[in-house]
Amino acid sequence: MFSKVEEPEYTVLESLENNVEIREYRPQIWAAIAKGSENGAFGTLAGYIFGKNNQKERIGMTAPVVTDEGRMAFVMPKRYDLLSLPKPNNEKIKIETIASRILAVIRFSGFTGPEKDEKHLRVLEQTLQEHGIKTEGMAFVMRYNPPWTPPFMRRNEVALLVSR
């Protein structure tokens, strides 16, 4: 069987209907790249964590893979800080610090795609509106499983930043 990959730590602050949760996440470090980059965003980021970095170090896969309209990001393992994280060989990969934050998240299974993501975003927004929860910024998608995972076992989430 496959070993479980590391996921970011969070605390569930509130569980709502429709598989919606309000979560508080600790700070994270992301390796991010614009979608449409050469070799594809996923392949370029995978190359970085599999050793195409200044230390030729295997960083290890984590979950989720985060995507929004313009970029894709891998969450770096929590054992790293900005000083110890290997530097990417590809200058298109940007290392970003993500501050602690509160996210509204809706979880779903199956495949993701623009239509399905948008459908779940509408349910998330409606549920948040009904509870008077305000958000800011653009939605993003978090995918937790490798491509060979059967659709009914996949974990996907659409998230929005909750306004403080």
Side-chain angles (χ1 to χ4, degrees):
M1 203 67 210
F2 301 103
S3 61
K4 183 159 172 45
V5 298
E6 182 181 314
E7 296 179 11
E9 295 178 9
Y10 62 84
T11 302
V12 176
L13 302 176
E14 192 173 359
S15 294
L16 308 173
E17 63 275 3
N18 301 319
N19 292 319
V20 172
E21 290 182 335
I22 307 301
R23 301 176 183 165
E24 183 173 18
Y25 281 82
R26 296 186 173 159
Q28 301 168 6
I29 299 173
W30 289 5
I33 189 167
K35 285 189 195 172
S37 298
E38 82 288 348
N39 300 326
F42 187 89
T44 303
L45 288 170
Y48 165 63
I49 66 168
F50 294 139
K52 290 185 178 178
N53 55 64
N54 68 333
Q55 297 176 26
K56 296 182 175 56
E57 181 178 333
R58 291 182 65 87
I59 294 170
M61 189 70 200
T62 61
V65 173
V66 181
T67 55
D68 61 24
E69 286 185 5
R71 68 181 177 162
M72 176 179 284
F74 287 3
V75 179
M76 295 294 96
K78 63 185 170 194
R79 71 179 180 271
Y80 291 105
D81 60 27
L82 288 176
L83 295 175
S84 62
L85 184 66
K87 307 295 180 266
N89 291 344
N90 187 325
E91 72 279 351
K92 292 184 179 181
I93 297 173
K94 304 299 179 207
I95 303 301
E96 302 177 9
T97 302
I98 307 300
S100 62
R101 62 206 173 134
I102 296 175
L103 297 178
V105 176
I106 186 168
R107 179 184 240 172
F108 61 98
S109 62
F111 292 107
T112 62
E115 288 179 18
K116 192 165 188 184
D117 299 346
E118 185 64 33
K119 174 184 138 192
H120 289 286
L121 175 59
R122 285 193 303 273
V123 173
L124 175 61
E125 289 172 329
Q126 180 65 36
T127 303
L128 297 174
Q129 182 179 10
E130 290 169 3
H131 288 269
I133 298 170
K134 304 277 188 233
T135 62
E136 57 189 70
M138 301 290 294
F140 56 93
V141 178
M142 298 185 286
R143 295 174 182 87
Y144 287 82
N145 306 101
W148 56 82
T149 304
F152 68 93
M153 293 178 66
R154 289 178 184 237
R155 175 181 171 196
N156 306 298
E157 298 171 337
V158 174
L160 285 165
L161 182 63
V162 173
S163 300
R164 295 193 185 226

